[in-house]
Amino acid sequence: MNVSFEHPQFAFIGVLIVVGLYIYFRFRKKSFVLDLPLGPPGGAVFRSPVPVQLLFRFTRLLEGFALLLLFVALAGPAFVQHKTLWLDRGADVFFVIDCSPSMSALDMQGQSRFAVAKRLVTRFAQLRPSDAIALVAIGADGALILPPTVDRTVFSERLAALSIAELGDGTAIGTGLAIAAVHLRNSRAQKKLVILLTDGENNAGAVHPLTGATLAREAGAELWVIGIGTSGEVPLDYVDPLTGQRKTGTFESRYDPEALRSIAQAGGGTFLVADSTGALEDAFNRMNSTGIAPGRSRTYRVSQSLAGSLLLVALLCIALARSIRWLFMGALL
């Protein structure tokens, strides 16, 4: 969002006039002034109850500022924002994100699996502005936390709010895939994607992972399974959303790439190993390069005029200047 002027020459003229008036009153030749003492000879010197000269300069400043605002208002200022309207529908993309405590493992170059995954999901969404992106979270259960949307602000806010252990301790991979498949069943998008981001084996939920992958394939979705993390002992650090307590320690990561590969095969999709930040970035780049290109779009201009607000401020400045002269300076004349 930026500010534009329909007639910027008026603003330029206003600045010249105000600066010219300041120079004129500042350096003009002062007239001869004769000081006449008030009161009896030898008596007390008369002092004004208010700083007249200071008030006079302040009111002049208010009037000069009001004059400048009037010229700026004539210039037609407005807040201008350019928005993009997509004329072609993009893909429907469902991210199935593992939120189990193991995703807080710090084995991605000192960062947690969860934080790196969320950052790359955000970048993926920004690179594909015409796609409708949905979020499915999996833990001890699965839930659709954001339906397909092209509003990247809403998407980013909900993704940022997603936390470890939000759905309990567990990994319901099959349930998450089934949720995505059900919502994609009636989608009319020209391309459908289901992207599973997980580091563990299925140990919760009522739906088997192979069943969930099969449902995604039957819904016409292209399945991507990305296995995040490494095997063995890894450090863990997260805040329990239910108790607010911070939990740290180490745990035995049971990352099983073959189990995840079988899920991808059941859905007719692709399995990618992401055992480092770089590998995960490569996986996202590969997914983005195989997707559909952005469709036709049209950019339109939305403006909000500021002239009315500037005129109101100018009138208030003039009214304030006149009131000060009437209340304080008029009483001395």
Side-chain angles (χ1 to χ4, degrees):
M1 180 180 292
N2 53 16
V3 179
S4 68
F5 295 89
E6 295 183 8
H7 309 287
Q9 64 272 18
F10 286 108
F12 180 70
I13 293 173
V15 172
L16 290 180
I17 291 177
V18 172
V19 172
L21 289 175
Y22 171 79
I23 295 174
Y24 172 75
F25 287 110
R26 177 69 177 81
F27 298 102
R28 69 173 180 172
K29 186 177 180 181
K30 296 182 179 180
S31 58
F32 174 76
V33 177
L34 177 63
D35 292 331
L36 295 176
L38 299 178
V45 178
F46 174 78
R47 296 186 182 277
S48 169
V50 292
V52 178
Q53 190 67 20
L54 181 61
L55 286 177
F56 181 74
R57 291 179 178 176
F58 178 66
T59 56
R60 279 285 179 84
L61 179 63
L62 283 176
E63 290 175 339
F65 182 62
L67 180 62
L68 178 60
L69 289 181
L70 290 175
F71 276 96
V72 174
L74 286 175
F79 279 126
V80 177
Q81 185 177 10
H82 293 88
K83 295 187 177 182
T84 301
L85 175 65
W86 292 99
L87 305 177
D88 297 327
R89 180 172 181 176
D92 278 355
V93 182
F94 273 71
F95 277 101
V96 182
I97 301 178
D98 188 350
C99 298
S100 61
S102 61
M103 284 290 285
S104 66
L106 303 173
D107 59 351
M108 303 293 283
Q109 281 69 56
Q111 303 177 74
S112 73
R113 303 167 178 176
F114 193 62
V116 174
K118 288 205 301 182
R119 185 176 71 248
L120 291 176
V121 168
T122 301
R123 191 181 72 178
F124 181 89
Q126 293 172 345
L127 293 174
R128 302 170 67 99
S130 64
D131 290 350
I133 300 183
L135 293 175
V136 176
I138 55 174
D141 202 351
L144 176 68
I145 61 174
L146 183 68
T149 179
V150 295
D151 189 330
R152 293 298 179 257
T153 300
V154 173
F155 173 81
S156 299
E157 290 176 351
R158 187 59 187 94
L159 179 60
L162 187 61
S163 60
I164 291 290
E166 185 171 315
L167 294 179
D169 189 355
T171 309
I173 293 177
T175 302
L177 293 176
I179 291 172
V182 167
H183 286 85
L184 282 172
R185 184 177 301 166
N186 298 321
S187 170
R188 295 184 179 181
Q190 53 183 315
K191 192 176 186 67
K192 308 173 188 178
L193 298 175
V194 175
I195 303 171
L196 171 64
L197 296 166
T198 182
D199 67 345
E201 58 183 358
N202 186 81
N203 55 19
V207 181
H208 194 277
L210 299 184
T211 302
T214 302
L215 290 174
R217 183 187 63 197
E218 293 175 350
E222 180 181 320
L223 177 63
W224 292 80
V225 179
I226 302 179
I228 306 175
T230 57
S231 299
E233 280 197 356
V234 293
L236 177 146
D237 186 0
Y238 74 99
V239 176
D240 191 324
L242 296 179
T243 63
Q245 295 180 345
R246 185 177 180 182
K247 298 186 177 181
T248 60
T250 59
F251 83 107
E252 186 69 25
S253 176
R254 293 181 292 179
Y255 172 64
D256 186 359
E258 293 306 316
L260 296 178
R261 192 186 306 276
S262 64
I263 294 174
Q265 291 175 348
T270 304
F271 170 64
L272 299 175
V273 177
D275 54 3
S276 66
T277 302
L280 187 56
E281 290 179 351
D282 292 340
F284 271 87
N285 291 334
R286 181 175 171 182
M287 286 190 300
N288 186 51
S289 64
T290 58
I292 59 175
R296 296 174 300 148
S297 64
R298 184 176 66 187
T299 302
Y300 61 98
R301 182 174 180 266
V302 179
S303 61
Q304 180 181 0
S305 177
L306 299 174
S309 299
L310 294 180
L311 287 174
L312 179 60
V313 175
L315 292 175
L316 290 176
C317 289
I318 294 173
L320 179 60
R322 296 297 178 180
S323 299
I324 291 175
R325 288 180 180 174
W326 182 76
L327 290 174
F328 296 100
M329 302 174 65
L332 300 175
L333 299 178

